Amino acid sequence: MNSIKSYKIKQWLDYSNDDLIAAVHFYESMEFPIYRVVCYNAEQSAEKFLKAYQIYFDMEIIKTHDLSRLVKSLLGFDEELAQFLESLKNLSNHAVKYRYPDDFEDLTKEDAEESIIIAKQIQKFITIKIVL
């Protein structure tokens, strides 16, 4: 792998990790966590991990917040990603649906906890697979 590609992947992984750190921080350190912010950052983390994986396979980055779409684009390179398709559906909603005020119910503590767990699973899966 050339150094430019390696650097680009590292940047995406760093941003992914930063978003996950932010999600956990917002969840653990606030007296009254804002669960939609936790979920949003967890979604952003998972999204950036998947996009780093696209770069790893020399794919064009798909500009979408639909995590299932990102996973499906990668299945030809890594079929094991299919295990995440179901759990990523709800997480995708956190990037768009809850970003702006509307008539939706607010996200819950359980939503936030689940979002962090999913993002950590994606982090572990992809960081094991990517060899820089």
Side-chain angles (χ1 to χ4, degrees):
M1 177 182 323
N2 69 47
S3 61
I4 294 171
K5 178 179 172 181
S6 181
Y7 178 75
K8 191 172 183 180
I9 292 169
K10 185 177 178 338
Q11 283 184 306
W12 279 87
L13 293 175
D14 287 347
Y15 274 58
S16 305
N17 285 313
D18 291 347
D19 285 335
L20 186 52
I21 290 167
V24 171
H25 173 77
F26 283 124
Y27 180 76
E28 292 178 347
S29 69
M30 297 179 69
E31 185 175 348
F32 302 103
I34 304 167
Y35 299 126
R36 66 180 162 73
V37 174
V38 173
C39 293
Y40 175 75
N41 278 279
E43 185 284 334
Q44 287 291 290
S45 174
E47 181 180 323
K48 289 176 183 130
F49 277 116
L50 292 168
K51 289 178 178 180
Y53 211 25
Q54 286 182 321
I55 296 166
Y56 183 73
F57 289 116
D58 296 319
M59 295 175 63
E60 193 74 31
I61 293 175
I62 299 173
K63 294 184 180 185
T64 183
H65 297 298
D66 183 343
L67 301 179
S68 295
R69 183 174 172 209
L70 292 172
V71 167
K72 288 175 185 175
S73 77
L74 287 157
L75 289 177
F77 299 96
D78 190 338
E79 292 179 357
E80 291 180 48
L81 276 170
Q83 67 184 302
F84 299 109
L85 278 170
E86 199 59 40
S87 62
L88 290 173
K89 285 181 185 175
N90 285 336
L91 196 53
S92 288
N93 283 332
H94 304 329
V96 180
K97 186 174 180 181
Y98 295 97
R99 258 171 73 179
Y100 305 105
D102 211 332
D103 293 333
F104 305 115
E105 292 182 26
D106 206 3
L107 293 165
T108 65
K109 179 179 181 178
E110 291 74 26
D111 293 323
E113 290 169 349
E114 179 184 350
S115 296
I116 290 170
I117 288 168
I118 295 166
K120 285 182 176 182
Q121 290 171 341
I122 295 292
Q123 175 195 42
K124 181 178 178 182
F125 180 88
I126 289 178
T127 54
I128 288 171
K129 298 278 187 152
I130 291 179
V131 179
L132 297 177

